[in-house]
Amino acid sequence: MSPTVYYGPLVNPKNLHEYQALPHALLGVSSAGIIEWIEPDVPDSSVLQDVLVKHGYTSVEDVKIVELRRGEFLLPGFIDTHTHAPQFPNTGIGQQYELLDWLQNVTFPMEAKFADVAFARDAYKRVVRRVLDSGTTTCCYYGSLHLDATKELANIVNDAGQRAFVGKCNMNRNSPDNYVEASAESSIADTKTLISYINGLTSTSSGPPLVQPILTPRFAISCTSPLLSSLGSLDPSLRVQTHISENPSEVAFTHSLFPACASYTAVYDTHGLLRHNTILAHGVHLTDEELDLIKTREAGISHCPTSNFNLSSGVAPVGSWLDRGIKVGLGTDVSGGFSPSILTAVQHASIASKVVSLNGGGKDKGPFTGRQLTIPALLFLATLGGAQVCDLASTVGSFEPGKAFDALLVNTDESAGNPGLWVAGESSVETRLEQFLFCGDDRNVKEVYVQGRVVGGTAFRARAS
């Protein structure tokens, strides 16, 4: 792969309050898929040769130049901090239930089918393609409890060239007879086998491995204390993903199972699973004391607004988390959430914050508490915030020299074929970004890049067909 220079509009998140919207940027990417330099303002393409010479290229023939077309811009790839790969076949089903009944009546029966490796392989190929083409360059995947099926998920993600964390569920109690692990010992043995297997995969990129293992205790309800302790004693560099305080009934059940622990959060902390690389999904009903503990341990929260609405779990007070300095990203939580797209999560995160603001209170406690989320904040949660939650902020999440070029080439022009996104003519980059976030879909995702390679998007699909 040759070095590439991209020329045109670029959107780059900086923090919760600010992003760059550069209409005439140049961005240089090495043959290894690493961002080497950014020139924020090159309004005249006639000086392109001079800029290339400045960065070590003697002529335009030394580099591939990609000039963006009308209505296009570059955006860092979306990061999905929480989704369930074996639940995709159930997307849009069972919306009449709340969490625990939904698990028993809809989710566990579907996940049990992934004991069939051929079934899993077929499903996971479709899952990964949908997630990539929706613009998710990094994804935290839950597998089922099945070792062989989860190996297949890791294979498929790796072959597709997506950056991801893949884990098999640990669940040895409070689960159906046909979908439960025999013991804590067997659960740990399979987890260790999967970790070794994923670590042995050969990456399709020239950089570090794109697919990494992640510890996945489903939630405290489904794990005995010995199982949680055994997971907590494994390599502390391993990331952890689990659920927390999603639903009031779930919280009450957890308290009954761990009466010696002061809170749901304390369950994970007591067992060594609350740390800087822990991803806690939902957190709708966390107490102030729990939030203080999460902040102290530097864990992150995956905000899953679509699922929180859909399963009637509640409205998460994300603004208060942000004002506490807690790391927050977005999750689709399929199939509690009914869309694989982070764009949907952005839209529902905005609505959730407005619901909180309408209820009033807390607006004197900081810039986000009790207020609707701004466009910079929403963009941050979908990109750099998710990278922070995944302990990947030094690698992805924004366009910075030294980071991997994980990016979306977004097309907001009418040629994308999305009638829901009004063609903005000569609108600013800021306007096109906002329209994409609230009216865009996978038709507007022209190309998806991971580590500099095109691995998804409408143009990718067209070439593949």
Side-chain angles (χ1 to χ4, degrees):
M1 187 169 64
S2 62
T4 306
V5 172
Y6 297 87
Y7 180 48
L10 179 152
V11 172
N12 194 21
K14 304 301 288 185
N15 51 54
L16 285 162
H17 306 278
E18 177 189 9
Y19 69 89
Q20 292 175 306
L22 308 175
H24 306 289
L26 275 176
L27 184 148
V29 179
S30 74
S31 58
I34 301 297
I35 298 170
E36 293 191 313
W37 50 267
I38 300 173
E39 292 285 349
D41 187 23
V42 185
D44 189 346
S45 60
S46 65
V47 300
L48 180 60
Q49 177 72 51
D50 294 337
V51 176
L52 294 178
V53 169
K54 171 184 172 182
H55 291 284
Y57 300 106
T58 57
S59 71
V60 294
E61 285 74 28
D62 293 339
V63 63
K64 177 183 177 183
I65 298 176
V66 177
E67 187 167 355
L68 275 59
R69 300 177 180 177
R70 190 183 79 129
E72 295 180 349
F73 61 88
L74 286 175
L75 180 72
F78 292 141
I79 297 175
D80 189 344
T81 57
H82 181 72
T83 204
H84 295 260
Q87 292 180 20
F88 272 66
N90 278 342
T91 304
I93 297 174
Q95 298 174 79
Q96 70 271 30
Y97 295 111
E98 290 191 15
L99 175 63
L100 297 182
D101 289 337
W102 173 78
L103 288 171
Q104 293 297 326
N105 291 291
V106 178
T107 301
F108 288 156
M110 173 55 68
E111 291 191 18
K113 294 181 180 180
F114 283 74
D116 181 340
V117 177
F119 176 85
R121 184 182 303 113
D122 177 68
Y124 286 152
K125 286 180 180 178
R126 296 162 65 188
V127 168
V128 174
R129 178 47 47 203
R130 290 187 184 190
V131 173
L132 262 176
D133 288 339
S134 295
T136 297
T137 52
T138 298
C139 190
C140 296
Y141 287 111
Y142 277 61
S144 62
L145 61 75
H146 309 104
L147 173 60
D148 290 339
T150 310
K151 286 181 177 179
E152 285 297 318
L153 175 59
N155 289 337
I156 290 164
V157 172
N158 190 62
D159 290 345
Q162 188 178 36
R163 194 181 305 277
F165 299 96
V166 175
K168 64 163 284 324
C169 271
N170 302 106
M171 40 192 296
N172 69 334
R173 67 167 170 179
N174 294 318
S175 304
D177 291 342
N178 69 332
Y179 191 56
V180 65
E181 294 177 293
S183 65
E185 291 76 16
S186 64
S187 181
I188 291 297
D190 282 352
T191 297
K192 289 180 177 179
T193 299
L194 180 68
I195 292 167
S196 296
Y197 183 82
I198 293 176
N199 286 338
L201 291 175
T202 301
S203 178
T204 56
S205 75
S206 57
L210 295 177
V211 183
Q212 298 183 50
I214 186 169
L215 301 178
T216 310
R218 185 179 199 109
F219 56 175
I221 289 172
S222 68
C223 299
T224 60
S225 185
L227 177 54
L228 292 176
S229 293
S230 296
L231 289 168
S233 67
L234 295 178
D235 183 352
S237 70
L238 289 167
R239 291 162 178 83
V240 180
Q241 60 179 356
T242 191
H243 299 81
I244 194 166
S245 297
E246 179 178 357
N247 172 283
S249 298
E250 167 218 9
V251 175
F253 193 10
T254 301
H255 285 312
S256 72
L257 294 171
F258 297 91
C261 294
S263 67
Y264 198 156
T265 305
V267 173
Y268 296 129
D269 191 48
T270 300
H271 293 89
L273 291 166
L274 190 70
R275 52 204 194 207
H276 77 279
N277 52 6
T278 296
I279 303 166
L280 302 165
H282 301 287
V284 179
H285 303 285
L286 291 166
T287 65
D288 287 342
E289 291 76 16
E290 288 179 284
L291 291 169
D292 289 342
L293 180 56
I294 290 168
K295 170 61 177 174
T296 298
R297 297 290 185 261
E298 299 182 317
I301 301 178
S302 174
H303 178 37
C304 305
T306 307
S307 177
N308 293 342
F309 282 133
N310 199 41
L311 297 181
S312 301
S313 297
V315 182
V318 175
S320 66
W321 303 345
L322 297 176
D323 283 337
R324 289 173 179 267
I326 292 173
K327 298 179 295 186
V328 183
L330 294 178
T332 58
D333 193 30
V334 174
S335 66
F338 48 74
S339 170
S341 176
I342 287 293
L343 286 172
T344 304
V346 165
Q347 294 152 20
H348 291 171
S350 176
I351 293 171
S353 69
K354 291 174 182 177
V355 171
V356 172
S357 72
L358 288 171
N359 290 332
K363 292 186 179 180
D364 59 339
K365 295 182 179 179
F368 295 104
T369 301
R371 302 177 190 273
Q372 68 184 57
L373 292 172
T374 63
I375 297 301
L378 291 166
L379 174 63
F380 183 87
L381 295 182
T383 55
L384 192 52
Q388 291 176 350
V389 169
C390 294
D391 198 29
L392 281 177
S394 64
T395 304
V396 296
S398 62
F399 295 137
E400 305 291 343
K403 287 191 175 185
F405 185 64
D406 286 16
L408 309 180
L409 178 55
V410 176
N411 178 17
T412 60
D413 190 68
E414 61 185 1
S415 61
N418 177 5
L421 199 158
W422 186 262
V423 178
E426 298 303 319
S427 295
S428 67
V429 179
E430 292 90 341
T431 296
R432 289 187 180 275
L433 169 66
E434 188 168 1
Q435 289 183 305
F436 172 62
L437 292 178
F438 285 92
C439 304
D441 59 31
D442 62 320
R443 289 170 291 187
N444 300 106
V445 180
K446 183 176 180 179
E447 290 186 331
V448 179
Y449 298 85
V450 174
Q451 200 76 34
R453 294 177 60 241
V454 180
V455 294
T458 57
F460 177 84
R461 295 200 301 274
R463 289 193 293 269
S465 62

